[in-house]
Structure formats: C-alpha cells, structure tokens
Amino acid sequence: MIRTLPLARIALGATAALLVTGAAGSASAGFGDKDVARTTAFGGQCARCELSGRKLIGASFTGANFEDATLVGADLRGAELVMSNFSRSDFTRADLRGAEMVSSVFSGAIFANARMDGVEATASSFKGANLTRANLSGATLSMAGFSGAILVATNFNDADLVGANFTKADASRANFTEARLKLATLSGGVFERASFREAVLDGAKLKGGDFTGADFAGATLKHADLRWTDLSRARNLTQGQVNQACSDGTTKLPKNLKPRQCEPRFLMIRRPHPPAPPRPPVPPGPPPTPKFIIADGH
C-alpha cells in the first residue's frame, strides 16, 4: 500500500509529495515529531523546505528539487540524494555518512562541519559550496566539481577525487592525505598549508595555485602539470617528484630543485556504458505439418 501525503505538513508552502512505503501493506510517518521512517521517499519540488534535525536515515530523494532547503543537523545516514537539486541548501552539522549523492547539484550549499564519511558523490556539483571542516574521508568524489568552493580544513583523507575540479577553490589547511587526485584540476586554487602526504597527483593540473606551506611528502606527481605554478614555499618536495612532473622556467621551486621539461600526457576518462539488454528469445516456429498415413484394409 502506498499513500501520498502533502509534504507541506513538514514545511509550510511546500509543493512536493512524500511517499511512505511500509512493509506488509502498511504505511505511516510521524509528522508531529522529528522521526521520519527509513522508507521515506521524496520527489517533486519542495523549495525552502524546513527539515532541520529530522531523522531521515535511508531516505530517498530522487529527481527532487530542494533548492534553499534547511537540513541543519539532519540525520541522513545512508540516504539517497540522486539526480536532485539542493542548490543553496543548508546541511550544516548534518550526518550524511554513507549517503549516495550521485549526479546531484549542491551549488552554493552549506556543509560546514557535516559528517560525510564514505559518501558517494560521483559527478556531483559543489560549485561555490561551503564545506568548511566537513569530513569526507574515504568518500568517492570522482569527477565532482568543487570550483570556487570553500574547503577550509576539509578532510579528504583517502578520498577518491579522480578527475575532480578544484579550480579557484579555497582549500587552505585541507587534508588530502592518501587521496587519489589523478587528473584533478587544482588551477588557481588556494591550498595553503594543505596536506598532500602520500597523495596521488598523477596528471593533475596545478597551474596558478597557491601551495604555500603545502606538504607533498611521499606524494606522486607523474606527468602532473606544474607550469606557471609557485611551489617555492611548498614543504617536503623532492627533486625526484619534480622529475616525475612537467615543469619549465615558469615553475617556481624550492631552492636546490630544478624544473624538468616534458610533454604532459592527457588521458581521457570514459564512463562505462550500461550493458545492452539481452536479446529477446527467438519465438518458436510454426508446428510441423502433420503427416497422414492411409492404410488399405484389403
């Protein structure tokens, strides 16, 4: 049994619908208090929804428009925020551990001090978002967009950031320890005192970034583009790492390190296509023509 209930009972003026699917043919939701069932599904439009402090564990937001929504301190562990629009929404101190946030828009959203350990946000946009001191350790963020985002003291430890875009982002004091930043774009970003210890920066673009005090101990920089980059005040950068990368006279390096010219390699990331559906079975042919035997009784 599926009931459609107006979401306006949660947020006045909302135009979305709340679908609550219960087991064994029953459905219920506690709108009077802050508990909402694990089987909650949101769709449609609910701009400026007020969901602060709500327990939305395992909730599903698919194809929904929640622009300017307020989810301060909401419990969204294991939730699905897929192909939805949460532009300028406030997730301050929200718990999103293990959430699926694939192909969604969070432009200008606030995730300050949010728990986002292990989230999967492949190809999602965090353009101009504020993730100050958010914890995204172990997150899958390949091809995600963080251009112009505020990432001050954000924790990306052991995160998958392959192909991510950090153009003009402020990632001062951010933790990228053991993160995978292969083919990432860090151009024009501020990475002052950020940690790239043991990080993989192969093929990354660092052009015009501020890496004052950034720590590159143990990082790999194979074919990384260091041209027009000031690394003169970076820490723990070695000649061996520079030799792996591509640099020239426009690259500023610490004393005693020399640039190494090369042609950067460009790799194309292709997303796998879903497998083709199986061919339908061949319909059976017509039955064989019956054969008649005429017997002569003589």
Side-chain angles (χ1 to χ4, degrees):
M1 176 182 179
I2 298 177
R3 291 196 299 168
T4 302
L5 302 173
L7 194 57
R9 295 179 66 180
I10 296 182
L12 295 177
T15 58
L18 168 64
L19 300 180
V20 182
T21 307
S26 63
S28 63
F31 296 105
D33 51 22
K34 292 189 177 182
D35 291 344
V36 181
R38 290 173 179 265
T39 49
T40 302
F42 294 93
Q45 180 173 332
C46 189
R48 301 184 184 278
C49 266
E50 173 55 67
L51 295 169
S52 295
R54 299 277 176 179
K55 288 187 178 180
L56 297 164
I57 301 171
S60 177
F61 299 78
T62 303
N65 182 5
F66 275 69
E67 291 181 290
D68 300 292
T70 305
L71 298 105
V72 175
D75 190 345
L76 290 154
R77 287 174 292 170
E80 296 179 0
L81 293 77
V82 179
M83 294 184 292
S84 296
N85 185 3
F86 286 88
S87 296
R88 301 176 302 281
S89 293
D90 192 348
F91 291 88
T92 299
R93 300 188 306 280
D95 191 344
L96 291 135
R97 285 176 290 175
E100 184 177 352
M101 306 165 69
V102 175
S103 301
S104 288
V105 178
F106 301 97
S107 300
I110 302 173
F111 290 91
N113 295 294
R115 293 289 306 274
M116 303 173 72
D117 323 24
V119 300
E120 183 177 353
T122 301
S124 285
S125 173
F126 296 89
K127 182 178 180 180
N130 185 347
L131 291 94
T132 300
R133 292 185 295 276
N135 186 0
L136 290 102
S137 59
T140 301
L141 301 160
S142 55
M143 306 300 292
F146 293 95
S147 58
I150 302 173
L151 308 169
V152 177
T154 302
N155 184 11
F156 289 103
N157 179 57
D158 195 34
D160 184 353
L161 292 158
V162 174
N165 185 0
F166 292 92
T167 301
K168 296 184 179 180
D170 183 358
S172 303
R173 305 191 307 280
N175 181 15
F176 293 97
T177 301
E178 297 183 346
R180 294 164 292 284
L181 289 147
K182 188 173 183 178
L183 302 175
T185 301
L186 286 69
S187 302
V190 178
F191 299 92
E192 184 178 349
R193 291 186 285 166
S195 174
F196 293 98
R197 298 178 68 89
E198 306 294 335
V200 178
L201 289 152
D202 300 350
K205 297 179 181 179
L206 283 67
K207 180 179 178 180
D210 181 358
F211 295 93
T212 302
D215 188 353
F216 287 91
T220 62
L221 294 159
K222 294 179 181 178
H223 302 289
D225 191 350
L226 308 182
R227 294 173 298 179
W228 299 99
T229 305
D230 187 354
L231 295 165
S232 61
R233 290 182 286 178
R235 295 186 296 135
N236 298 316
L237 192 65
T238 67
Q239 187 64 55
Q241 290 169 313
V242 174
N243 291 343
Q244 292 179 332
C246 299
S247 55
D248 59 17
T250 65
T251 307
K252 295 182 180 180
L253 296 170
K255 293 180 179 179
N256 303 321
L257 298 186
K258 297 180 180 181
R260 176 181 177 273
Q261 294 185 359
C262 72
E263 290 295 327
R265 293 184 180 181
F266 298 96
L267 300 178
M268 182 178 294
I269 299 177
R270 295 182 179 274
R271 295 177 183 170
H273 295 287
R279 294 182 179 180
V282 179
T289 303
K291 295 180 180 181
F292 299 96
I293 300 175
I294 301 175
D296 189 349
H298 297 286

